[in-house]
């Protein structure tokens, strides 16, 4: 069974603090893809990153970084020096490489950055 | 150019009415989806189409009927609307196989009164 767990429902940090959003996934497939999406207060879903199951290299993009560890089935997201504009709901998602795939989403983590 | 566009953005209607939400993508993707986001922000798949063929049909009331006239369009028709149908509905598209990200429309906030 496929499942994505984001145990942190809500997080509040003060601006400039670092924050890590946790994501744990379950799948029986050996080939799969992991994603992070951002949903700001305006409501749209913004794609942030994709990672395939064969690539465990961590990735950094500006203040954002992602840590993928197959051994613990985790794909965590860290925001360094958080800003007010980072306030949003962040979703982790899983997709399996097969016809008729769907994207399985976690329940989201609501991040509030306090100025 | 908007990649995935949904209309309308807001929809307020009375119980019992029938309504449609339209979705179009200009990305050339073969796969399109409808997701429902409830008040707790949980995103749940409703339907998935690949090249106009229905692939995924989750346990959704049969009052909901998707229609894909061509690869670029996936519309959602809802009959006999109920209060519990109030939610945000997202259309999305992707390449088949799940190895690329899904691109989402702006969402349609449906309120049934």
């Amino acid at each position: 069974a496929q499942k994505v767990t984001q145990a942190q429902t809500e997080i509040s940090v003060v601006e400039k603090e670092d924050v890590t959003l946790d994501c744990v996934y379950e799948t029986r497939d050996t080939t799969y893809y992991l994603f992070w999406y951002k949903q700001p207060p305006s409501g749209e879903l913004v794609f942030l990153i994709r990672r395939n199951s064969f690539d465990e290299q961590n990735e950094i993009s500006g203040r954002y970084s992602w840590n993928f560890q197959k051994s613990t089935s985790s794909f965590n997201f860290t925001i360094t020096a958080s800003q007010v504009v980072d306030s949003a709901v962040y979703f982790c998602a899983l997709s399996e490489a097969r016809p008729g795939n769907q994207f399985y989403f976690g329940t989201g983590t609501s991040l509030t950055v306090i100025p | 150019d908007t990649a995935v566009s949904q209309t309308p953005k807001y929809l307020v209607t009375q119980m019992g009415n029938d309504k449609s939400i339209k979705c179009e993508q200009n990305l050339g993707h073969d796969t399109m989806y409808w997701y429902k986001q409830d008040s707790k922000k949980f995103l749940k798949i409703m339907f998935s189409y690949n090249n106009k063929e229905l692939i995924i049909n989750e346990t959704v009331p049969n009052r909901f009927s998707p229609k894909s006239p061509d690869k670029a369009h996936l519309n959602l028709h809802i009959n006999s609307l109920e209060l519990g149908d109030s939610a945000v509905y997202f259309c999305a598209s992707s390449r088949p196989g799940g190895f690329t990200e899904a691109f989402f429309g702006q969402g349609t906030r449906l309120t049934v009164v």
Side-chain angles (χ1 to χ4, degrees):
Chain A
Q2 309 82 1
K3 189 177 177 183
V4 177
T5 302
Q6 294 180 255
Q8 303 150 308
T9 306
E10 295 180 358
I11 300 177
S12 290
V13 298
V14 176
E15 201 170 20
K16 296 185 184 176
E17 286 184 346
D18 299 348
V19 58
T20 296
L21 309 181
D22 297 333
C23 173
V24 174
Y25 63 91
E26 293 177 30
T27 177
R28 291 179 185 160
D29 285 19
T30 55
T31 301
Y32 53 89
Y33 301 86
L34 297 164
F35 308 84
W36 275 95
Y37 284 84
K38 174 182 180 180
Q39 187 174 40
S42 50
E44 70 272 25
L45 283 159
V46 179
F47 164 74
L48 295 178
I49 190 172
R50 175 184 75 243
R51 186 52 100 218
N52 75 56
S53 53
F54 299 110
D55 182 2
E56 282 193 77
Q57 279 196 342
N58 293 331
E59 181 154 341
I60 299 174
S61 176
R63 297 184 297 106
Y64 294 172
S65 62
W66 291 269
N67 181 268
F68 175 31
Q69 292 197 343
K70 286 179 77 169
S71 61
T72 55
S73 297
S74 65
F75 186 42
N76 297 337
F77 173 27
T78 297
I79 302 174
T80 304
S82 59
Q83 299 176 1
V84 172
V85 292
D86 296 327
S87 295
V89 180
Y90 291 87
F91 292 95
C92 181
L94 165 75
S95 176
E96 293 161 335
R98 63 179 67 172
N101 67 287
Q102 62 167 289
F103 294 82
Y104 299 90
F105 283 86
T107 49
T109 297
S110 177
L111 173 66
T112 301
V113 180
I114 304 164
Chain B
D1 277 349
T2 303
V4 182
S5 60
Q6 294 177 230
T7 53
K9 187 172 182 180
Y10 300 98
L11 187 51
V12 181
T13 187
Q14 290 187 324
M15 281 176 55
N17 283 351
D18 302 340
K19 289 294 178 185
S20 291
I21 306 172
K22 294 186 176 181
C23 178
E24 176 182 5
Q25 54 98 0
N26 62 6
L27 298 167
H29 289 161
D30 288 335
T31 305
M32 295 186 72
Y33 313 81
W34 278 107
Y35 277 83
K36 179 180 180 180
Q37 185 173 45
D38 62 23
S39 58
K40 294 186 178 179
K41 297 286 189 178
F42 183 57
L43 280 158
K44 183 173 171 54
I45 185 80
M46 299 175 69
F47 303 103
S48 166
Y49 269 74
N50 188 60
N51 205 8
K52 300 197 301 174
E53 180 184 347
L54 180 64
I55 301 296
I56 294 173
N57 183 353
E58 291 292 293
T59 51
V60 175
N62 58 15
R63 299 180 295 104
F64 290 78
S65 55
K67 283 188 172 56
S68 181
D70 55 58
K71 273 186 7 176
H73 295 83
L74 181 61
N75 303 323
L76 183 65
H77 188 75
I78 316 170
N79 289 329
S80 303
L81 278 155
E82 300 178 357
L83 292 176
D85 297 332
S86 296
V88 180
Y89 293 85
F90 283 98
C91 176
S93 74
S94 75
R95 293 180 190 166
F99 60 94
T100 64
E101 62 273 20
F103 291 82
F104 284 82
Q106 63 184 357
T108 295
R109 182 173 294 278
L110 171 64
T111 304
V112 182
V113 298

